[in-house]
Amino acid sequence: SDNLTDWTDHGVIITQNKVPWVRPDSYSMWAPDCIERNGRYYFYFPSAPADTVKYGRGFAIGVAVAEKPEGPYIPEPTPILNVHGIDPNVFIDKDGQAYLYWSAGHIYGAKLKDNMKELDSEVKILGDLPTKGLKEGPFVFEREGVYYMTYPHVANKTEQLEYAIS
């Protein structure tokens, strides 16, 4: 949209039935993220793998790549190794280093390789966040040299938006 009022529907960019590793009846590609890097678009999504022996139980996070934001997106044949959880968020720092964040009871993070499809560091639990209550949907950004991570947190049956800074 040029004016954020008039929109063009380009259709569905990817479905679970087109992703080789996803269980076809999972209906679980919620809370994805998409980012542009070097003229390509990377769409990150959680889903339940068909092969739980190979990829584990619960959710894995995959990536599909396109040359245009509206697609077509081509999914990678496997999920990103060692990433188990939901709500992926990708952040590219000023130095060009890309990071992937996600949640699974805690909020996790790792560096991405330049290909944007593989991890380039060990997975870390991000520390000093509240230890009780559901934490999901991490979103990282930088403003004036301060790094922020926002995330929903449930405490005493109340969901609130919280943030951490670095």
Side-chain angles (χ1 to χ4, degrees):
S1 173
D2 293 328
N3 59 18
L4 298 182
T5 300
D6 301 309
W7 296 88
T8 301
D9 184 349
H10 293 279
V12 176
I13 62 171
I14 192 166
T15 65
Q16 64 193 16
N17 295 334
K18 301 286 184 186
V19 182
W21 60 269
V22 169
R23 194 177 78 225
D25 64 347
S26 62
Y27 303 107
S28 57
M29 295 173 80
W30 316 305
D33 193 14
C34 192
I35 195 163
E36 183 274 336
R37 182 170 194 163
N38 299 325
R40 299 181 94 192
Y41 295 85
Y42 298 87
F43 181 75
Y44 297 84
F45 57 90
S47 199
D51 187 342
T52 58
V53 172
K54 189 172 186 177
Y55 301 119
R57 297 193 180 280
F59 290 88
I61 293 177
V63 62
V65 184
E67 302 298 323
K68 302 181 292 188
E70 65 272 20
Y73 282 81
I74 309 300
E76 290 297 302
T78 62
I80 301 171
L81 296 179
N82 300 318
V83 178
H84 303 283
I86 60 172
D87 302 345
N89 171 242
V90 178
F91 171 73
I92 300 175
D93 206 348
K94 291 179 278 192
D95 65 1
Q97 178 61 59
Y99 297 87
L100 176 64
Y101 300 96
W102 67 95
S103 57
H106 294 283
I107 296 178
Y108 298 86
K111 288 182 179 181
L112 283 170
K113 289 185 177 182
D114 287 340
N115 68 14
M116 302 292 284
K117 302 173 192 176
E118 301 171 273
L119 297 186
D120 198 24
S121 72
E122 290 187 26
V123 172
K124 294 183 180 180
I125 295 176
L126 302 184
D128 296 335
L129 298 177
T131 56
K132 292 185 180 179
L134 174 66
K135 293 165 289 301
E136 60 184 11
F139 180 76
V140 174
F141 64 98
E142 179 269 338
R143 182 173 186 268
E144 297 179 3
V146 178
Y147 293 85
Y148 296 83
M149 173 180 285
T150 64
Y151 54 92
H153 177 251
V154 178
N156 300 319
K157 299 182 182 179
T158 301
E159 184 169 331
Q160 52 199 19
L161 182 61
E162 297 182 354
Y163 70 95
I165 60 172
S166 172

